[in-house]
Amino acid sequence: MKISRIEHLGIACPSIEEALPYFENVLGLKCYKVEEVADQKVKTAFLKVGDTKLELLEPTSPDSTIAKFIENNGGKGGMHHLAFKIEDGVANALAECDANGIRLIDKAPRKGADNMQIAFLHPKSTASILTELCEG
Ligand code: ZN
């Protein structure tokens, strides 16, 4: 697979509204999009950092994976996942990971936030870092 860069870092937040002033007013980053992803039960907010982005993730339901992450983290948010930009197709990258015995969370690419096709790899196979592959 061909990885060109870190596409974004995913950061879980109990409340995007409470987290944003730090990123916008202190760090001077601009939130350019807020989007709800219904099938992942999250609200997302994106901020550009040079060529990469931060993706803030707030749960919209108690059974969201982000809600569970926050619950397991003592009610606090934190670094949630690392996302790579794939230049030669997420489906291709997934097939390559599968052939290398990597545990896949998604067997096929699906629609993610910010107009991306995405798939997740299981942290058991990725040095304990939840890893997202993105294209788009
Ligand atoms: Zn992400």
Side-chain angles (χ1 to χ4, degrees), residues 1 8-10 20 27 36 40-41 44-45 55 61 63 79 82 90 104-105 108 110 117 119 122 127-130 134:
M1 77 187 79
H8 63 269
L9 296 175
L20 266 183
L27 301 185
E36 196 168 324
Q40 289 172 56
K41 297 175 182 163
T44 60
E55 177 188 50
S61 161
D63 63 344
M79 264 296 301
L82 168 64
V90 169
L104 311 180
I105 292 175
R110 60 188 164 96
Q117 286 292 309
H122 198 284
S128 302
I129 298 155
L130 178 61
C134 304

Side-chain angles (χ1 to χ4, degrees), residues 8 10 55 81 83 120 132:
H8 63 269
E55 177 188 50
H81 65 272
F120 280 94
E132 181 181 359

Side-chain angles (χ1 to χ4, degrees), residues 93-95 97-98 102-108 120-122 125:
L94 279 177
C97 288
D98 194 33
I102 301 296
R103 205 162 134 191
L104 311 180
I105 292 175
D106 298 300
K107 305 259 183 249
F120 280 94
L121 306 178
H122 198 284
S125 300

